[in-house]
């Protein structure tokens, strides 16, 4: 039996602004953008070379809207691996991605924390 994690849902305020950030600033590809009717869309963005992606889910109602940008209680909740940390860090910073720290070297990876457009925290890391 083979299993893999295919998608992770990320609650967003607006489909198009989220697509803009993930595609234009992080360099993800827009894998799917299907109109589901009633204002709902099936929007998937995927990092280059990755089989897994993010399902951008527009907040529906006050409870979900309150979670936009704080899905993990302020902790790093998303981990973007790269095989060229220096190049990706420089490209992302030049595109306006907000890094919260300088790159650091840990036993497991070179890493730096950044925020997405809503304030969710991510690690950009190049594993050792």
């Amino acid at each position: 039996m083979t299993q893999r994690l295919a998608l992770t849902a990320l609650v967003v305020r607006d489909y198009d602004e989220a697509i803009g950030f993930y595609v234009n600033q992080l360099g993800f590809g827009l894998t799917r953008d299907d109109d589901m009717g009633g204002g709902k869309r099936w929007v998937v963005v995927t990092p280059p070379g990755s089989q897994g992606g993010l399902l951008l889910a527009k907040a529906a109602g006050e409870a979900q809207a309150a979670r936009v940008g704080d899905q993990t209680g302020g902790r790093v909740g998303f981990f973007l691996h790269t095989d060229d940390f220096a190049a990706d860090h420089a490209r992302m910073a030049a595109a306006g991605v907000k890094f919260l720290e300088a790159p650091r070297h840990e036993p497991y990876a070179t890493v730096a924390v950044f925020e997405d457009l809503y304030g969710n925290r991510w690690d950009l890391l190049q594993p050792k």
Side-chain angles (χ1 to χ4, degrees):
M1 172 172 37
T2 300
Q3 296 180 336
R4 63 184 171 86
L5 186 60
L7 295 174
T8 299
L10 182 68
V11 181
V12 301
R13 184 173 42 234
D14 178 84
Y15 292 118
D16 293 323
E17 73 178 1
I19 290 169
F21 176 82
Y22 285 98
V23 171
N24 298 328
Q25 291 183 264
L26 291 192
F28 288 18
L30 179 60
T31 308
R32 299 290 300 258
D33 187 355
D34 300 325
D35 187 341
M36 305 297 289
K40 291 183 73 174
R41 290 158 59 183
W42 184 264
V43 178
V44 177
V45 293
T46 308
S50 179
Q51 292 183 352
L54 290 176
L55 173 67
L56 303 179
K58 185 176 177 182
E62 290 181 27
Q64 290 181 16
R67 288 303 200 205
V68 172
D70 190 29
Q71 293 188 109
T72 59
R75 294 185 58 98
V76 171
F78 305 94
F79 303 85
L80 182 60
H81 283 199
T82 179
D83 59 2
D84 191 344
F85 183 93
D88 282 336
H89 182 270
R91 178 187 52 75
M92 290 166 60
V97 174
K98 179 181 177 186
F99 281 89
L100 303 179
E101 64 182 6
R104 66 186 196 287
H105 302 283
E106 298 292 346
Y108 58 91
T110 300
V111 62
V113 177
F114 69 93
E115 288 183 339
D116 70 12
L117 74 164
Y118 300 116
N120 292 302
R121 291 181 176 210
W122 288 69
D123 272 356
L124 174 66
L125 48 90
Q126 182 173 352
K128 293 186 179 181

